[in-house]
Amino acid sequence: MRDPLPSYPGYSLRRAANATAADLSARLGAIGMKQVDASILLLLADNPEVTASALGRQLDIQRANMVPLLKRLEDAGLIARTPIDGKSQGLALTEEGRETMTKARVIIDRFESELLARVPAEHRDHLLPALDALWR
Amino acid sequence: MRDPLPSYPGYSLRRAANATAADLSARLGAIGMKQVDASILLLLADNPEVTASALGRQLDIQRANMVPLLKRLEDAGLIARTPIDGKSQGLALTEEGRETMTKARVIIDRFESELLARVPAEHRDHLLPALDALWR
DNA sequence: TATGGATTGCTATGATCAACAACAATCGCT
DNA sequence: AGCGATTGTTGTTGATCATAGCAATCCATA
């Protein structure tokens, strides 16, 4: 079947993103994590006491949609909230959260290196800069 | 805020795909099209009389989910079905479907060239081959 | 030619996800 | 003191996708 779509970079971009995301999802699923969960944990590891709003801004997730996300992580005992002032609350990893984050990071690091390994050597170093130009 | 995520190619891949997809969606919305719709029309333009199943396989869309998709396009008068045998039916663009497909292709071509233009020249030619390696 | 496995189109359903509007409480600047 | 902006939240909606199941039809082979 003749298919003109793969010659479009934008189309290949979407297909590649879907394929790799499915792969990573499966791997993170092994430790009961989703990609968003892992993103939040990684961000929290580097930025203790950030606010839910700030997290959402960084990840492009609306405030309202952060609520169930954070609730799940809190119920799982991975993050804790501490009041900053009357309306803001700081988020931080619990001890268990830190352990889970470490596991997630191992999985992600392996995933990312395998991803890069699939790219032919002559194109490899160009991938990240090219992608950055498309959304940063 | 310190953010280790953008240094991961896989993460940037997802973000870039989301950003560009949102852009294209907005542009196609101007003619009442969605990305899937346009994909189907483009594919149909090059492959008249293909079957719904074959289309779904090519686009990685399950048979069951093709039904409402094709129904919308048929109700809009963009595609027509002709029986091939007792159980299969060939899909093809109507005259109106061909016109809409042409409009969509103009939009997509412009979108894709603007997308490539955003990539620094030294990385540009590496993007498509790199992406291809990730899903083909 | 009969038959069993695969294929096609479809219905129905559930899960997940993101967008949106609205709200009360609080903050911070003037 | 007052006012606009921010925060966390609720509730709802629409879109997308996976899954299971089903009847009809096909195709290859015994």
Side-chain angles (χ1 to χ4, degrees):
Chain A
M1 180 169 185
R2 190 149 166 267
D3 188 354
L5 269 21
S7 71
Y8 289 119
Y11 180 79
S12 279
L13 181 58
R14 200 142 15 97
R15 293 299 297 263
N18 285 347
T20 55
D23 181 6
L24 179 56
S25 282
R27 301 193 191 198
L28 284 175
I31 59 168
M33 292 263 93
K34 288 185 291 190
Q35 300 187 41
V36 212
D37 299 335
S39 311
I40 294 177
L41 294 192
L42 287 201
L43 229 37
L44 243 33
D46 279 0
N47 307 273
E49 301 309 322
V50 289
T51 181
S53 295
L55 256 188
R57 270 190 299 272
Q58 194 68 25
L59 295 172
D60 265 326
I61 300 175
Q62 314 219 1
R63 253 185 2 269
N65 295 329
M66 291 293 296
V67 179
L69 247 38
L70 295 177
K71 178 163 172 22
R72 278 194 53 241
L73 294 176
E74 190 182 22
D75 288 349
L78 303 179
I79 65 176
R81 324 194 191 208
T82 62
I84 293 183
D85 56 27
K87 75 171 172 184
S88 297
Q89 41 189 301
L91 302 172
L93 295 179
T94 61
E95 193 45 50
E96 191 185 347
R98 182 163 300 278
E99 292 169 14
T100 303
M101 181 275 293
T102 304
K103 285 186 206 159
R105 192 158 55 191
V106 168
I107 292 178
I108 291 178
D109 285 345
R110 162 168 233 114
F111 160 77
E112 294 286 349
S113 73
E114 291 184 14
L115 184 155
L116 273 187
R118 298 191 52 191
V119 177
E122 69 267 34
H123 307 306
R124 197 169 296 148
D125 291 341
H126 297 278
L127 182 57
L128 190 51
L131 293 176
D132 276 351
L134 295 178
W135 70 281
R136 296 258 269 177
Chain B
M1 180 167 181
R2 190 149 166 266
D3 188 354
L5 269 21
S7 72
Y8 289 118
Y11 181 78
S12 280
L13 180 59
R14 200 141 15 97
R15 292 298 296 262
N18 285 347
T20 56
D23 181 5
L24 179 57
S25 282
R27 300 192 191 199
L28 285 176
I31 59 169
M33 291 262 93
K34 288 185 291 189
Q35 300 187 39
V36 211
D37 300 333
S39 310
I40 293 178
L41 295 193
L42 287 199
L43 229 36
L44 242 34
D46 279 0
N47 306 274
E49 302 308 322
V50 290
T51 181
S53 295
L55 216 44
R57 270 189 298 271
Q58 194 68 24
L59 295 171
D60 264 326
I61 300 176
Q62 313 220 6
R63 251 172 322 135
N65 295 329
M66 291 293 297
V67 179
L69 247 39
L70 295 178
K71 177 164 172 26
R72 278 193 53 242
L73 295 176
E74 189 182 23
D75 289 349
L78 303 180
I79 66 176
R81 324 194 190 208
T82 61
I84 293 183
D85 54 28
K87 75 172 172 181
S88 297
Q89 42 188 298
L91 302 171
L93 296 179
T94 62
E95 193 46 49
E96 190 185 348
R98 183 164 298 278
E99 292 168 14
T100 303
M101 179 275 292
T102 304
K103 286 186 205 159
R105 191 159 55 191
V106 169
I107 292 178
I108 292 178
D109 284 345
R110 163 168 231 114
F111 161 78
E112 294 287 348
S113 73
E114 291 183 15
L115 185 153
L116 272 188
R118 299 191 52 192
V119 177
E122 70 266 33
H123 306 306
R124 197 169 295 147
D125 291 343
H126 297 279
L127 183 57
L128 190 52
L131 292 176
D132 276 351
L134 296 178
W135 69 282
R136 297 257 268 177

mmCIF file with all atom_site columns, all heavy atoms in Angstrom, chain A residues 26-39:
data_model
loop_
_atom_site.group_PDB
_atom_site.id
_atom_site.type_symbol
_atom_site.label_atom_id
_atom_site.label_alt_id
_atom_site.label_comp_id
_atom_site.label_asym_id
_atom_site.label_entity_id
_atom_site.label_seq_id
_atom_site.pdbx_PDB_ins_code
_atom_site.Cartn_x
_atom_site.Cartn_y
_atom_site.Cartn_z
_atom_site.occupancy
_atom_site.B_iso_or_equiv
_atom_site.pdbx_formal_charge
_atom_site.auth_seq_id
_atom_site.auth_comp_id
_atom_site.auth_asym_id
_atom_site.auth_atom_id
_atom_site.pdbx_PDB_model_num
ATOM 1  N N   . ALA A 1 26 ? 5.134  0.637  29.155 1.00 0.00 ? 26 ALA A N   1
ATOM 2  C CA  . ALA A 1 26 ? 5.181  -0.769 29.535 1.00 0.00 ? 26 ALA A CA  1
ATOM 3  C C   . ALA A 1 26 ? 6.260  -1.004 30.590 1.00 0.00 ? 26 ALA A C   1
ATOM 4  O O   . ALA A 1 26 ? 6.048  -1.723 31.566 1.00 0.00 ? 26 ALA A O   1
ATOM 5  C CB  . ALA A 1 26 ? 5.440  -1.638 28.307 1.00 0.00 ? 26 ALA A CB  1
ATOM 6  N N   . ARG A 1 27 ? 7.405  -0.371 30.398 1.00 0.00 ? 27 ARG A N   1
ATOM 7  C CA  . ARG A 1 27 ? 8.504  -0.580 31.348 1.00 0.00 ? 27 ARG A CA  1
ATOM 8  C C   . ARG A 1 27 ? 8.185  0.017  32.718 1.00 0.00 ? 27 ARG A C   1
ATOM 9  O O   . ARG A 1 27 ? 8.459  -0.586 33.758 1.00 0.00 ? 27 ARG A O   1
ATOM 10 C CB  . ARG A 1 27 ? 9.791  0.047  30.806 1.00 0.00 ? 27 ARG A CB  1
ATOM 11 C CG  . ARG A 1 27 ? 10.214 -0.529 29.458 1.00 0.00 ? 27 ARG A CG  1
ATOM 12 C CD  . ARG A 1 27 ? 11.622 -0.111 29.134 1.00 0.00 ? 27 ARG A CD  1
ATOM 13 N NE  . ARG A 1 27 ? 11.989 -0.418 27.750 1.00 0.00 ? 27 ARG A NE  1
ATOM 14 C CZ  . ARG A 1 27 ? 13.237 -0.465 27.318 1.00 0.00 ? 27 ARG A CZ  1
ATOM 15 N NH1 . ARG A 1 27 ? 14.228 -0.204 28.159 1.00 0.00 ? 27 ARG A NH1 1
ATOM 16 N NH2 . ARG A 1 27 ? 13.494 -0.754 26.062 1.00 0.00 ? 27 ARG A NH2 1
ATOM 17 N N   . LEU A 1 28 ? 7.623  1.214  32.709 1.00 0.00 ? 28 LEU A N   1
ATOM 18 C CA  . LEU A 1 28 ? 7.298  1.844  33.983 1.00 0.00 ? 28 LEU A CA  1
ATOM 19 C C   . LEU A 1 28 ? 6.143  1.121  34.672 1.00 0.00 ? 28 LEU A C   1
ATOM 20 O O   . LEU A 1 28 ? 6.048  1.111  35.903 1.00 0.00 ? 28 LEU A O   1
ATOM 21 C CB  . LEU A 1 28 ? 6.940  3.322  33.770 1.00 0.00 ? 28 LEU A CB  1
ATOM 22 C CG  . LEU A 1 28 ? 8.112  4.256  33.510 1.00 0.00 ? 28 LEU A CG  1
ATOM 23 C CD1 . LEU A 1 28 ? 7.636  5.663  33.192 1.00 0.00 ? 28 LEU A CD1 1
ATOM 24 C CD2 . LEU A 1 28 ? 9.068  4.273  34.695 1.00 0.00 ? 28 LEU A CD2 1
ATOM 25 N N   . GLY A 1 29 ? 5.290  0.522  33.871 1.00 0.00 ? 29 GLY A N   1
ATOM 26 C CA  . GLY A 1 29 ? 4.179  -0.231 34.436 1.00 0.00 ? 29 GLY A CA  1
ATOM 27 C C   . GLY A 1 29 ? 4.651  -1.356 35.338 1.00 0.00 ? 29 GLY A C   1
ATOM 28 O O   . GLY A 1 29 ? 3.947  -1.749 36.274 1.00 0.00 ? 29 GLY A O   1
ATOM 29 N N   . ALA A 1 30 ? 5.853  -1.855 35.083 1.00 0.00 ? 30 ALA A N   1
ATOM 30 C CA  . ALA A 1 30 ? 6.402  -2.950 35.877 1.00 0.00 ? 30 ALA A CA  1
ATOM 31 C C   . ALA A 1 30 ? 6.588  -2.542 37.341 1.00 0.00 ? 30 ALA A C   1
ATOM 32 O O   . ALA A 1 30 ? 6.594  -3.396 38.228 1.00 0.00 ? 30 ALA A O   1
ATOM 33 C CB  . ALA A 1 30 ? 7.734  -3.419 35.280 1.00 0.00 ? 30 ALA A CB  1
ATOM 34 N N   . ILE A 1 31 ? 6.746  -1.247 37.592 1.00 0.00 ? 31 ILE A N   1
ATOM 35 C CA  . ILE A 1 31 ? 6.853  -0.817 38.992 1.00 0.00 ? 31 ILE A CA  1
ATOM 36 C C   . ILE A 1 31 ? 5.644  0.039  39.372 1.00 0.00 ? 31 ILE A C   1
ATOM 37 O O   . ILE A 1 31 ? 5.703  0.843  40.325 1.00 0.00 ? 31 ILE A O   1
ATOM 38 C CB  . ILE A 1 31 ? 8.157  -0.028 39.267 1.00 0.00 ? 31 ILE A CB  1
ATOM 39 C CG1 . ILE A 1 31 ? 8.229  1.224  38.375 1.00 0.00 ? 31 ILE A CG1 1
ATOM 40 C CG2 . ILE A 1 31 ? 9.370  -0.888 39.056 1.00 0.00 ? 31 ILE A CG2 1
ATOM 41 C CD1 . ILE A 1 31 ? 9.329  2.198  38.785 1.00 0.00 ? 31 ILE A CD1 1
ATOM 42 N N   . GLY A 1 32 ? 4.567  -0.131 38.604 1.00 0.00 ? 32 GLY A N   1
ATOM 43 C CA  . GLY A 1 32 ? 3.326  0.551  38.947 1.00 0.00 ? 32 GLY A CA  1
ATOM 44 C C   . GLY A 1 32 ? 3.337  2.041  38.710 1.00 0.00 ? 32 GLY A C   1
ATOM 45 O O   . GLY A 1 32 ? 2.562  2.775  39.319 1.00 0.00 ? 32 GLY A O   1
ATOM 46 N N   . MET A 1 33 ? 4.192  2.485  37.814 1.00 0.00 ? 33 MET A N   1
ATOM 47 C CA  . MET A 1 33 ? 4.293  3.919  37.549 1.00 0.00 ? 33 MET A CA  1
ATOM 48 C C   . MET A 1 33 ? 3.795  4.251  36.148 1.00 0.00 ? 33 MET A C   1
ATOM 49 O O   . MET A 1 33 ? 3.866  3.430  35.244 1.00 0.00 ? 33 MET A O   1
ATOM 50 C CB  . MET A 1 33 ? 5.752  4.383  37.630 1.00 0.00 ? 33 MET A CB  1
ATOM 51 C CG  . MET A 1 33 ? 6.367  4.338  39.006 1.00 0.00 ? 33 MET A CG  1
ATOM 52 S SD  . MET A 1 33 ? 6.304  5.967  39.800 1.00 0.00 ? 33 MET A SD  1
ATOM 53 C CE  . MET A 1 33 ? 4.778  5.825  40.689 1.00 0.00 ? 33 MET A CE  1
ATOM 54 N N   . LYS A 1 34 ? 3.315  5.474  36.005 1.00 0.00 ? 34 LYS A N   1
ATOM 55 C CA  . LYS A 1 34 ? 3.009  6.000  34.691 1.00 0.00 ? 34 LYS A CA  1
ATOM 56 C C   . LYS A 1 34 ? 4.031  7.077  34.356 1.00 0.00 ? 34 LYS A C   1
ATOM 57 O O   . LYS A 1 34 ? 4.774  7.511  35.231 1.00 0.00 ? 34 LYS A O   1
ATOM 58 C CB  . LYS A 1 34 ? 1.591  6.581  34.665 1.00 0.00 ? 34 LYS A CB  1
ATOM 59 C CG  . LYS A 1 34 ? 0.528  5.500  34.699 1.00 0.00 ? 34 LYS A CG  1
ATOM 60 C CD  . LYS A 1 34 ? -0.872 6.058  34.542 1.00 0.00 ? 34 LYS A CD  1
ATOM 61 C CE  . LYS A 1 34 ? -1.256 6.865  35.769 1.00 0.00 ? 34 LYS A CE  1
ATOM 62 N NZ  . LYS A 1 34 ? -2.709 7.212  35.752 1.00 0.00 ? 34 LYS A NZ  1
ATOM 63 N N   . GLN A 1 35 ? 4.042  7.482  33.110 1.00 0.00 ? 35 GLN A N   1
ATOM 64 C CA  . GLN A 1 35 ? 5.038  8.465  32.701 1.00 0.00 ? 35 GLN A CA  1
ATOM 65 C C   . GLN A 1 35 ? 4.884  9.772  33.467 1.00 0.00 ? 35 GLN A C   1
ATOM 66 O O   . GLN A 1 35 ? 5.882  10.352 33.916 1.00 0.00 ? 35 GLN A O   1
ATOM 67 C CB  . GLN A 1 35 ? 4.932  8.735  31.197 1.00 0.00 ? 35 GLN A CB  1
ATOM 68 C CG  . GLN A 1 35 ? 5.152  7.479  30.372 1.00 0.00 ? 35 GLN A CG  1
ATOM 69 C CD  . GLN A 1 35 ? 5.207  7.774  28.884 1.00 0.00 ? 35 GLN A CD  1
ATOM 70 O OE1 . GLN A 1 35 ? 5.796  8.749  28.454 1.00 0.00 ? 35 GLN A OE1 1
ATOM 71 N NE2 . GLN A 1 35 ? 4.584  6.925  28.076 1.00 0.00 ? 35 GLN A NE2 1
ATOM 72 N N   . VAL A 1 36 ? 3.657  10.234 33.628 1.00 0.00 ? 36 VAL A N   1
ATOM 73 C CA  . VAL A 1 36 ? 3.450  11.492 34.359 1.00 0.00 ? 36 VAL A CA  1
ATOM 74 C C   . VAL A 1 36 ? 3.939  11.345 35.783 1.00 0.00 ? 36 VAL A C   1
ATOM 75 O O   . VAL A 1 36 ? 4.581  12.261 36.315 1.00 0.00 ? 36 VAL A O   1
ATOM 76 C CB  . VAL A 1 36 ? 1.964  11.861 34.407 1.00 0.00 ? 36 VAL A CB  1
ATOM 77 C CG1 . VAL A 1 36 ? 1.807  13.353 34.412 1.00 0.00 ? 36 VAL A CG1 1
ATOM 78 C CG2 . VAL A 1 36 ? 1.203  11.224 33.278 1.00 0.00 ? 36 VAL A CG2 1
ATOM 79 N N   . ASP A 1 37 ? 3.627  10.234 36.399 1.00 0.00 ? 37 ASP A N   1
ATOM 80 C CA  . ASP A 1 37 ? 4.081  9.994  37.769 1.00 0.00 ? 37 ASP A CA  1
ATOM 81 C C   . ASP A 1 37 ? 5.599  10.141 37.851 1.00 0.00 ? 37 ASP A C   1
ATOM 82 O O   . ASP A 1 37 ? 6.120  10.853 38.713 1.00 0.00 ? 37 ASP A O   1
ATOM 83 C CB  . ASP A 1 37 ? 3.692  8.580  38.211 1.00 0.00 ? 37 ASP A CB  1
ATOM 84 C CG  . ASP A 1 37 ? 2.186  8.373  38.191 1.00 0.00 ? 37 ASP A CG  1
ATOM 85 O OD1 . ASP A 1 37 ? 1.450  9.370  38.316 1.00 0.00 ? 37 ASP A OD1 1
ATOM 86 O OD2 . ASP A 1 37 ? 1.747  7.216  38.041 1.00 0.00 ? 37 ASP A OD2 1
ATOM 87 N N   . ALA A 1 38 ? 6.280  9.461  36.942 1.00 0.00 ? 38 ALA A N   1
ATOM 88 C CA  . ALA A 1 38 ? 7.737  9.497  36.966 1.00 0.00 ? 38 ALA A CA  1
ATOM 89 C C   . ALA A 1 38 ? 8.257  10.911 36.737 1.00 0.00 ? 38 ALA A C   1
ATOM 90 O O   . ALA A 1 38 ? 9.207  11.345 37.410 1.00 0.00 ? 38 ALA A O   1
ATOM 91 C CB  . ALA A 1 38 ? 8.293  8.541  35.913 1.00 0.00 ? 38 ALA A CB  1
ATOM 92 N N   . SER A 1 39 ? 7.628  11.624 35.813 1.00 0.00 ? 39 SER A N   1
ATOM 93 C CA  . SER A 1 39 ? 8.049  13.011 35.568 1.00 0.00 ? 39 SER A CA  1
ATOM 94 C C   . SER A 1 39 ? 7.958  13.828 36.840 1.00 0.00 ? 39 SER A C   1
ATOM 95 O O   . SER A 1 39 ? 8.885  14.569 37.200 1.00 0.00 ? 39 SER A O   1
ATOM 96 C CB  . SER A 1 39 ? 7.160  13.657 34.498 1.00 0.00 ? 39 SER A CB  1
ATOM 97 O OG  . SER A 1 39 ? 7.043  12.834 33.360 1.00 0.00 ? 39 SER A OG  1
#
